[in-house]
Amino acid sequence: MSTFPNQAAPSNTSMAPTFLLVGMPGLSAVPSWWTIPLITIYLLSALGNGTILCVIALDPTLHHPMYFFLFLLSVSDVGLATALMPTLLGLAFAGVHAVPASACLLQMFFVHVFSVMESSVLLAMALDRALSICRPLHYPTLLTNDVISKIGLAIAFRCLGLHLPLPFLLAHMSYCHPQVLTHSYCLHPDIAHLACPGSWSAVYSLFVVLSAMGLDPLLIFFSYGLIGRVLQGLGSSEERWKAGQTCAAHLSAVLLFYMPMILLALTDRLRVPVPQPAHTLLSYVHFLLPPLINPILYSVKMKEIRERIFKRLQPKKVGCAQ
């Protein structure tokens, strides 16, 4: 871990005035070097997801459940990338390690809100795919506009309701350890780890993690188990291929989002001796790669999205009708 000249000594304070972030190991001497990749990743993520948002919003033929969930996925991707950028760019541009506690808690709130939103949307998309393949005749009556609206409200309530108490809990906790975090951004487990023993915030944190990041992938893979059983019963391989292609982009997005997180959790829980650069890089992959790759996945795999994008990119012909 990097050393800081102004690192705070262990204390028992109500709230740390600042938290200290770590940059990418090995790049602290040349912080400006990784500014260009960061800005490039963010701009490409914003462009890709913004394109999908515009295409879905402006085309009434895409106002269906599958595209509504894709719209929410793009919102969560843009929000997550935007929430991470302030501290990442501060470290990259000027090597700013110290972050005020209020700004750190605010970033933590939005990072976790958009992370849980993405997890919830991926679960909703898995439900949508399972119903469309396993119950195709009942699909239009099961996922009506009213049901979709309720799912959207449930996702919003879940994201905000779970994480709204966290900044207030952490702001009133006592801290007994040096306020040095292990990432380039503020995350709840990092901050809670610095608190004095005996805090019940850890119990609430465990509940939040298990109710979202623990439960969602289990339900998603259960949905794909049902889908796989139905696909095995289809008559021809062509039908299985066609049905499987409708799930390919979503399954890729699921693996891209959850696999780095699971690997990080396993290395921490099993105390696997992973080099700090590899641990930090895996964290970057978990947070920054899905917003960059998801628009590409859905543009390539979903014919309707791809055709609408190409149509809007084509120059309009100007002239007199014959």
Side-chain angles (χ1 to χ4, degrees):
M1 181 178 294
S2 303
T3 57
F4 303 97
N6 297 322
Q7 180 172 320
S11 60
N12 191 343
T13 59
S14 177
M15 184 65 200
T18 60
F19 289 100
L20 299 177
L21 305 172
V22 297
M24 173 64 83
L27 296 180
S28 18
V30 281
S32 60
W33 183 88
W34 53 299
T35 304
I36 297 176
L38 278 177
I39 294 178
T40 303
I41 288 173
Y42 178 71
L43 292 179
L44 290 176
S45 300
L47 177 63
N49 287 288
T51 300
I52 288 182
L53 290 173
C54 290
V55 166
I56 295 176
L58 297 177
D59 194 331
T61 63
L62 297 181
H63 294 177
H64 298 293
M66 178 169 58
Y67 301 107
F68 172 73
F69 294 137
L70 180 56
F71 185 92
L72 292 183
L73 185 67
S74 293
V75 170
S76 66
D77 279 338
V78 171
L80 183 58
T82 303
L84 293 167
M85 281 301 122
T87 53
L88 286 174
L89 291 179
L91 283 165
F93 270 119
V96 177
H97 292 271
V99 179
S102 56
C104 193
L105 293 179
L106 187 64
Q107 183 188 49
M108 177 207 73
F109 173 75
F110 282 111
V111 167
H112 287 294
V113 162
F114 286 116
S115 293
V116 171
M117 179 179 178
E118 179 142 356
S119 181
S120 303
V121 172
L122 289 173
L123 175 59
M125 295 174 84
L127 172 65
D128 173 74
R129 293 297 83 210
L131 288 176
S132 67
I133 293 176
C134 300
R135 296 288 185 270
L137 298 179
H138 300 90
Y139 177 78
T141 57
L142 290 173
L143 283 184
T144 61
N145 289 336
D146 185 52
V147 171
I148 295 300
S149 300
K150 290 178 180 178
I151 292 176
L153 289 174
I155 290 174
F157 177 79
R158 186 191 197 199
C159 299
L160 297 174
L162 281 177
H163 292 96
L164 196 58
L166 289 180
F168 300 100
L169 289 172
L170 292 172
H172 292 87
M173 287 170 58
S174 298
Y175 292 84
C176 300
H177 303 281
Q179 288 83 38
V180 181
L181 304 179
T182 59
H183 294 285
S184 306
Y185 27 77
C186 300
L187 301 176
H188 177 261
D190 250 5
I191 301 175
H193 181 71
L194 305 177
C196 299
S199 171
W200 60 275
S201 174
V203 178
Y204 184 78
S205 173
L206 182 62
F207 166 74
V208 170
V209 171
L210 292 179
S211 63
M213 299 303 190
L215 181 62
D216 290 359
L218 293 177
L219 294 176
I220 289 172
F221 289 117
F222 175 74
S223 300
Y224 272 99
L226 297 178
I227 292 173
R229 190 174 65 175
V230 171
L231 293 182
Q232 286 181 348
L234 293 179
S236 66
S237 58
E238 184 179 350
E239 290 178 337
R240 287 195 295 270
W241 171 258
K242 185 177 178 180
Q245 282 297 100
T246 64
C247 303
H250 176 256
L251 186 58
S252 301
V254 167
L255 295 175
L256 185 65
F257 182 74
Y258 286 111
M259 286 306 296
M261 181 192 70
I262 293 173
L263 289 175
L264 282 171
L266 288 176
T267 55
D268 290 340
R269 178 62 60 183
L270 301 177
R271 301 186 183 277
V272 178
V274 177
Q276 184 60 36
H279 190 275
T280 304
L281 184 61
L282 200 57
S283 174
Y284 286 169
V285 168
H286 170 61
F287 284 115
L288 295 177
L289 210 55
L292 177 65
I293 301 298
N294 283 344
I296 301 174
L297 285 174
Y298 284 98
S299 299
V300 171
K301 291 294 185 181
M302 298 183 72
K303 179 181 177 183
E304 295 81 0
I305 296 293
R306 185 172 64 252
E307 289 179 346
R308 273 29 172 227
I309 292 175
F310 287 152
K311 182 179 179 181
R312 293 190 176 276
L313 290 177
Q314 290 176 353
K316 295 183 178 179
K317 295 181 179 179
V318 179
C320 299
Q322 298 294 329

